[in-house]
Amino acid sequence: MSVAFTFPGQGSQAVGMGKELADAFPEARAVFAEVDDALGQKLSAIMFDGPEETLTLTANAQPALMAVSIAVMRVLEARGLSLKDRVSYVAGHSLGEYSALCAAGTFSLADTARLLRIRGNAMQSAVPVGEGAMAAIIGLEQADVEAICAEASAGGACQIANDNGGGQLVISGAKPAVEVAARLATDKGAKRALMLSVSAPFHSALMAPAADAMREALAAVEAKAPVVPVIANVRAAPVSDPQEIVRLLVEQVTGQVRWRETVEWFGKNDVTTLYEVGSGKVLTGLARRIDKSVTGIAVNTPADIDSALAALIG
């Protein structure tokens, strides 16, 4: 019986995120100040007050979500939680993998903020606006969606980007190919095939320029072994070697976020509780749909922090 900490990805941002933490805890304020300094920008002001369209920009949303997650972590640690002693694994959804690695000591907070700013900018600029697309396919098996993507890829890159569980797969690639795949999915009996309002085709082969940018950026920062293993997105298995972690982070830019398999791995390896550390409750909802034996608990308010501490250290 063990516990894992998970860290949310893009889509969990909301104006006001982190404000309650900053008001309540000096440790949270210190995290937001350090991230602001690392980026040379008052990101915390955008997080607290918006505007929403500025916060939602990939280059802002990614470090902002990480900042809230690490603020929660620092508050937990200041009140006696030892990640190494109380938590068996960490994992994060897409950008959340960087939050997980920062929490586990692989990257410093300042380096993580700068890496995510580079990642956000590189992913945004990899494909001209309007040329890429993503779609959610609901109610088809993975093998069926893979076959649909293969058929549609005559019109350009098309692949599974996220396996989120609960029968939801997200595909990504060139806009004409993704549109064809969405129609094919409907024809094959998908409950829904929904084009997503996203700014770029994340986790597809079209992100290759962003992968190159991250390879260069990651080579310039120190990566330490995490204090607990990270379940890597593209492998859905634990990794602790810093060089391997960095290699998989580069692969992740164009590869699939295997979240369903990650939660299933937790369930098969005696993890009974997943604490979602940071903004929102998306991963908690996904855990419930993927494996009923695993309990998801969101930790993002002062009251949530009190409850988590009571459960984890008494």
Side-chain angles (χ1 to χ4, degrees):
M1 301 293 195
S2 62
V3 164
F5 276 12
T6 64
F7 297 82
Q10 210 158 329
S12 290
Q13 71 275 359
V15 172
M17 61 194 279
K19 179 73 165 64
E20 194 177 2
L21 296 171
D23 289 344
F25 303 114
E27 298 85 3
R29 292 194 291 277
V31 167
F32 299 139
E34 187 173 343
V35 171
D36 287 350
D37 288 346
L39 298 178
Q41 173 200 18
K42 197 78 170 163
L43 182 64
S44 58
I46 298 168
M47 292 160 55
F48 299 163
D49 302 318
E52 186 177 359
E53 58 270 21
T54 305
L55 177 61
T56 303
L57 291 172
T58 300
N60 290 332
Q62 295 199 16
L65 284 160
M66 180 278 299
V68 175
S69 290
I70 300 306
V72 174
M73 281 300 309
R74 295 285 189 267
V75 173
L76 289 169
E77 289 167 338
R79 280 146 189 78
L81 177 81
S82 164
L83 189 73
K84 185 178 181 182
D85 294 339
R86 298 291 178 176
V87 178
S88 298
Y89 306 98
V90 293
H93 192 286
S94 191
L95 82 90
E97 192 164 320
Y98 286 80
S99 307
L101 289 164
C102 181
T106 294
F107 300 126
S108 72
L109 175 58
D111 281 344
T112 309
R114 287 188 286 261
L115 285 168
L116 286 171
R117 170 56 54 82
I118 292 166
R119 185 178 184 268
N121 281 326
M123 293 173 91
Q124 189 59 65
S125 62
V127 180
V129 174
E131 291 189 12
M134 299 179 76
I137 310 297
I138 298 166
L140 287 182
E141 295 296 322
Q142 181 167 346
D144 293 329
V145 178
E146 285 173 350
I148 286 164
C149 287
E151 185 176 344
S153 62
C158 186
Q159 67 195 76
I160 295 174
N162 301 345
D163 179 358
N164 287 330
Q168 185 197 100
L169 292 150
V170 177
I171 62 173
S172 182
K175 188 176 183 182
V178 172
E179 288 174 339
V180 168
R183 288 196 297 272
L184 288 170
T186 302
D187 293 343
K188 293 265 170 76
K191 291 176 185 171
R192 291 185 75 190
L194 180 68
M195 297 299 293
L196 299 179
S197 178
V198 293
S199 55
F202 303 125
H203 299 290
S204 77
L206 298 180
M207 289 286 111
D212 292 339
M214 290 316 298
R215 185 179 294 107
E216 184 178 334
L218 285 158
V221 303
E222 182 183 11
K224 299 177 182 176
V227 297
V228 296
V230 60
I231 312 301
N233 281 182
V234 296
R235 186 174 286 178
V239 188
S240 290
D241 176 69
Q243 289 180 309
E244 185 75 350
I245 285 168
V246 166
R247 189 182 70 74
L248 294 174
L249 285 174
V250 174
E251 190 179 319
Q252 186 223 66
V253 178
T254 57
Q256 184 184 139
V257 176
R258 296 166 60 183
W259 196 253
R260 173 184 57 80
E261 293 170 81
T262 296
V263 175
E264 288 175 348
W265 188 92
F266 285 137
K268 290 171 187 166
N269 288 275
D270 299 323
V271 174
T272 55
T273 309
L274 301 180
Y275 285 92
E276 179 178 4
V277 181
S279 182
K281 299 180 179 181
V282 172
L283 301 182
T284 299
L286 292 179
R288 195 175 299 122
R289 295 208 299 266
I290 294 166
D291 188 337
K292 295 286 192 291
S293 73
V294 176
T295 301
I297 299 172
V299 186
N300 55 39
T301 68
D304 294 339
I305 288 170
D306 289 343
S307 297
L309 288 169
L312 288 164
I313 58 177

